[in-house]
Amino acid sequence: MDLKLFGEVFVTLLVITDPPGMMPIFLALTGPLPARERNRAAWQAVALALGVIVVFAVAGQTLLDYLHVDLPALQAAGGLLLVLVALELLTGKADDPSQQSTSNIALVPLGTPLLAGPGAIVATMLFVQQADGASDISAIAAAIVAVMLAVWVVLRFSGGIVKILRPGGIEVLTRIAGLLLAAIAVQLIADAIAAFVTQYASLS
């Protein structure tokens, strides 16, 4: 297994899912529930997010072929989407959890779109597109599972973590995650532009 690729996928998805930023939203949505139901909600949210990401990872290539979309276009689109997510993290702009209405908050909005949102889906599809061989695929799969486990641990023990970090610490970690995500987005866009230039230069 390619440990370097594993690290890249793990860090990218971990920054996108932003577990520290998810904690206050998770606690706000599950606050009225007893501890057992809160733990169940954490499992359900992570399981749904994992399923959605895996589906897009497996069917991503087929979807691209059907739509006749090249990888550079997907990279640019993914970069733009990640920029939007990064700006939300950096500015603290987020949807008010109290406005969400659903029969199972673990599935919507926690599982999707907060965990398995467009950023995580596009990033996973990009990594799969660039994978070369079974070792890369196994590294990506292991990283996805590791990220989901990390997210579950944070949600499962979010009550204690919030007491330790306090709102100020969570806000700082969220801003750092936004900065890292913005850098990843810029790199994606730059790579896409370079690929477009190379592609059209070779045609001419």
Side-chain angles (χ1 to χ4, degrees), residues 2 8 28 33 35 55 75 79-80 111 115 132-133 136 155 165 178 197 204:
D2 189 342
E8 292 177 357
L33 301 177
V55 167
Q75 284 180 315
L80 292 175
L115 287 178
D132 182 19
D136 285 357
L155 295 184
L165 293 180
V197 171
S204 60

Side-chain angles (χ1 to χ4, degrees), residues 127-167:
F127 279 119
V128 172
Q129 284 293 310
Q130 297 171 336
D132 182 19
S135 62
D136 285 357
I137 295 297
S138 62
I140 295 172
I144 293 173
V145 173
V147 168
M148 290 297 105
L149 285 176
V151 172
W152 174 79
V153 169
V154 171
L155 295 184
R156 171 64 175 79
F157 301 101
S158 57
I161 295 175
V162 168
K163 292 179 181 178
I164 295 174
L165 293 180
R166 300 186 181 281

